[in-house]
Amino acid sequence: MKSLKQVLEMKNQQIHQQEKKIIELEKLAEKNIILEEKIQVLQQQNEDLKARIDQNTVVTRQLSEENANLQEYVEKETQEKKRLSRTNEELLWKLQTGDPTSPIKLSPTSPVYRGSSSGPSSPARVSTTPR
């Protein structure tokens, strides 16, 4: 009887230890489920961020191309402005010097005369250096 009690007590201890292990395993299973849900959420966020990166990359490329095109346009406009400025200075110089090859002659009411600080008798001087 005494040995039977000891065996029962040992079995009860084993059962008690196994119940503790089962409770710990259940807690771990719950944590595992929560972590798996978090993993799914993070994976979805990761996919969303990758999609945003791809979209931003496309937009960045488009903006870079547009920027390059605009810089090219500005450069062409600058060159055209310089060319027109040189042509304008050349024509003004021809007008002021009375170049016989120039088909245009200055009149006293010309804006070149009116813009002069010396008065109508002397035309305004224009710089011929390129800008």
Side-chain angles (χ1 to χ4, degrees):
M1 186 84 169
K2 193 174 185 180
S3 73
L4 205 64
K5 270 188 171 182
Q6 283 182 337
V7 169
L8 277 176
E9 196 174 307
M10 285 174 37
K11 290 289 182 183
N12 281 338
Q13 283 179 355
Q14 283 180 345
I15 290 172
H16 186 65
Q17 287 176 352
Q18 287 178 347
E19 285 175 349
K20 279 185 179 179
K21 284 185 180 181
I22 288 172
I23 291 172
E24 287 177 16
L25 289 173
E26 286 174 349
K27 287 180 182 178
L28 284 175
E30 288 176 16
K31 285 183 182 179
N32 217 7
I33 291 171
I34 292 171
L35 289 174
E36 286 175 355
E37 290 172 355
K38 286 183 179 180
I39 286 172
Q40 287 178 338
V41 168
L42 290 173
Q43 284 175 336
Q44 183 61 45
Q45 288 177 347
N46 194 21
E47 289 176 19
D48 291 345
L49 290 173
K50 284 180 181 179
R52 287 177 62 189
I53 287 172
D54 292 342
Q55 185 179 11
N56 285 344
T57 301
V58 168
V59 169
T60 300
R61 278 194 203 114
Q62 290 172 343
L63 290 174
S64 292
E65 288 178 22
E66 187 177 338
N67 186 35
N69 291 339
L70 288 172
Q71 285 179 344
E72 184 178 331
Y73 174 77
V74 166
E75 182 62 29
K76 286 179 182 179
E77 288 292 317
T78 301
Q79 293 300 323
E80 180 65 10
K81 183 178 176 184
K82 286 179 181 178
R83 185 190 69 77
L84 289 172
S85 179
R86 286 191 300 270
T87 302
N88 188 35
E89 288 179 8
E90 180 183 330
L91 290 173
L92 282 174
W93 182 80
K94 286 181 179 181
L95 285 172
Q96 290 171 354
T97 59
D99 186 352
T101 62
S102 174
I104 302 171
K105 298 293 180 196
L106 283 178
S107 71
T109 59
S110 168
V112 173
Y113 276 102
R114 281 187 267 141
S116 171
S117 60
S118 305
S121 61
S122 65
R125 295 276 182 217
V126 177
S127 171
T128 56
T129 57
R131 291 180 187 150

